[in-house]
């Protein structure tokens, strides 16, 4: 009886699929599209933009913008400028109509283009509802073209080996957030200015996405890193000496320089300041941000 019910249901399902007009199937998932058009529910849109902390100073790029609801919401509810990119001219026309209906056409722009060819460099927030395989292909472009600190939010699909900074489930829908990391890998030389005067510091840092590994030499003493990462343009290093004493170094990366504060691990007090300059990419030591992708990130 169970098998008969299953076969009957399967037959009905196949008949329903066969009965769908071919033009409708093509509209849903055209031959030239990498991703089927499936609108993001509005409550997920709200959560995505909220998780990315979108504000009036942001420029939101929605890659695969569909009917434009993320773009329109970013402009209407958060006051941001927003750009929607989609390869389907029907979706682009729909997005423009929705922006005009919401009265935000002066703050949004729609571009009919393959998202892999799009110039996304001005984005401070990028939103995605694509597929896992498309996210994997897109990942190098995001890391290469976006400025450190840019937030990337994806509905449903992750970025493979690149672990998100935050994930949430909203009414059964998963949302992931990443922050584009600065390039911190390399050999750095500098100094710490603290209660005991000035002490030289050397760093060798390897980097995989936001995670760092390597070692430090402070005033001639070799120290290991016990937790190190990059969050946008901010770097945080915990160094441990041979007897287990810890210090935390935080700083801001600006191209080839780092400048910041030194904190006592015990009570979190600021006990000094430090700065360092990158002297080489240390090719014998490095992993780039995205494993397997060799790049100098514009550095000599």
């Amino acid at each position: 009886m169970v098998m008969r019910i299953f076969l009957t249901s399967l037959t009905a399902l196949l008949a329903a699929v066969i009965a769908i007009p071919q033009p409708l199937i093509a509209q849903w998932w055209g031959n030239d599209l990498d991703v089927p058009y499936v609108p993001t529910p509005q409550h997920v849109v709200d959560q995505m933009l909220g998780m990315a902390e979108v504000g009036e100073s942001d420029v939101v790029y929605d890659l695969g913008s569909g009917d434009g609801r993320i773009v329109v919401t970013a402009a209407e509810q958060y006051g941001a400028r927003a750009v929607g990119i989609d390869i389907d001219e029907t979706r682009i026309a729909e997005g423009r109509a929705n922006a005009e209906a919401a009265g935000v056409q002066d703050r949004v722009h729609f571009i009919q283009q393959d998202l892999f060819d799009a110039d996304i460099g001005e984005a401070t927030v990028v939103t995605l509802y694509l597929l896992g395989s498309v996210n994997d292909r897109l990942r190098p472009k995001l890391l290469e073209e976006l400025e450190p600190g840019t937030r990337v939010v994806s509905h449903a699909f992750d970025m493979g080996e690149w672990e998100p900074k935050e994930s949430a489930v909203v009414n059964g829908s998963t949302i992931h957030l990443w922050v584009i990391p600065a390039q911190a890998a390399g050999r750095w030389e500098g100094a710490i200015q603290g209660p005991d005067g000035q002490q030289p510091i050397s760093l060798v840092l390897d980097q995989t996405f936001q995670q760092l590994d390597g070692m430090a030499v402070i005033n001639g003493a070799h120290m290991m890193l016990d937790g190190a990462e990059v969050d946008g343009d901010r770097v945080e290093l915990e160094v441990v000496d041979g007897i287990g004493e810890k210090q935390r170094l935080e700083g801001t990366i600006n191209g080839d320089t780092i400048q910041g504060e030194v904190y006592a691990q015990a009570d979190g007090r600021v006990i000094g300041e430090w700065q360092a300059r990158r002297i080489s990419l240390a090719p014998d030591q490095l992993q780039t941000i995205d494993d397997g992708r060799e790049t100098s990130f514009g550095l000599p």
Side-chain angles (χ1 to χ4, degrees):
M1 176 63 70
V2 173
M3 180 60 71
R4 183 179 302 169
I5 293 173
F6 171 76
L7 291 175
T8 300
S9 300
L10 180 60
T11 300
L13 177 61
L14 290 174
V17 171
I18 293 171
I20 297 175
Q22 289 302 310
L24 184 58
I25 294 177
Q27 180 182 353
W28 179 69
W29 196 343
N31 292 332
D32 295 332
L33 303 181
D34 290 321
V35 181
Y37 170 55
V38 180
T40 300
Q42 187 60 45
H43 70 272
V44 176
V45 172
D46 296 335
Q47 182 70 21
M48 292 172 71
L49 297 175
M51 183 180 285
E53 298 182 349
V54 173
E56 294 181 357
S57 63
D58 281 311
V59 181
V60 178
Y61 270 58
D62 186 23
L63 305 186
S65 54
D67 64 5
R69 64 183 62 190
I70 292 179
V71 171
V72 170
T73 302
E76 184 178 26
Q77 300 296 328
Y78 296 87
R81 289 197 300 117
V83 177
I85 298 174
D86 203 294
I87 200 170
D88 189 336
E89 63 179 348
T90 300
R91 301 278 81 83
I92 292 294
E94 189 175 3
R96 288 171 177 158
N98 289 336
E100 186 171 353
V104 295
Q105 64 271 24
D106 60 329
R107 294 203 302 280
V108 304
H109 181 51
F110 289 93
I111 303 172
Q112 184 186 350
Q113 189 177 24
D114 186 319
L115 59 87
F116 288 98
D117 297 329
D119 181 356
I120 61 174
E122 73 162 343
T124 60
V125 175
V126 172
T127 57
L128 311 169
Y129 185 21
L130 302 171
L131 294 173
S133 59
V134 179
N135 280 4
D136 286 345
R137 290 168 52 202
L138 188 62
R139 187 178 72 192
K141 178 180 178 70
L142 299 174
L143 290 165
E144 184 73 30
E145 296 184 16
L146 297 174
E147 291 293 323
T150 302
R151 291 89 77 198
V152 178
V153 190
S154 175
H155 173 203
F157 299 99
D158 61 23
M159 289 278 182
E161 299 171 315
W162 186 12
E163 295 184 0
K165 178 180 181 178
E166 182 181 350
S167 297
V169 178
V170 182
N171 294 336
S173 296
T174 302
I175 303 168
H176 302 292
L177 168 70
W178 298 263
V179 177
I180 298 295
Q183 170 70 342
R187 293 179 179 270
W188 301 79
E189 298 287 346
I192 295 175
Q193 186 68 43
D196 298 326
Q198 184 169 290
Q199 298 177 322
I201 179 173
S202 299
L203 299 168
V204 175
L205 300 177
D206 293 349
Q207 181 170 1
T208 304
F209 306 113
Q210 68 267 40
Q211 301 300 321
L212 300 176
D213 195 8
M215 64 176 298
V217 179
I218 299 178
N219 205 30
H222 286 70
M223 299 186 175
M224 300 304 296
L225 299 185
D226 183 30
E229 64 178 11
V230 185
D231 185 5
D233 63 357
R234 293 286 297 175
V235 63
E236 181 174 325
L237 312 170
E238 289 188 1
V239 296
V240 186
D241 65 17
I243 60 173
E245 293 291 330
K246 290 186 178 182
Q247 291 182 354
R248 188 173 83 253
L249 283 68
E250 295 186 9
T252 299
I253 300 175
N254 184 10
D256 282 345
T257 63
I258 301 176
Q259 189 168 1
E261 301 77 35
V262 182
Y263 296 84
Q265 190 67 21
D267 56 13
R269 290 181 300 110
V270 175
I271 57 174
E273 297 179 346
W274 72 292
Q275 57 183 356
R277 180 170 181 81
R278 181 171 12 220
I279 61 172
S280 80
L281 286 172
D284 58 328
Q285 299 276 348
L286 290 185
Q287 284 178 297
T288 58
I289 285 181
D290 194 357
D291 278 350
R293 179 170 59 91
E294 296 183 1
T295 176
S296 67
F297 287 83
L299 301 175

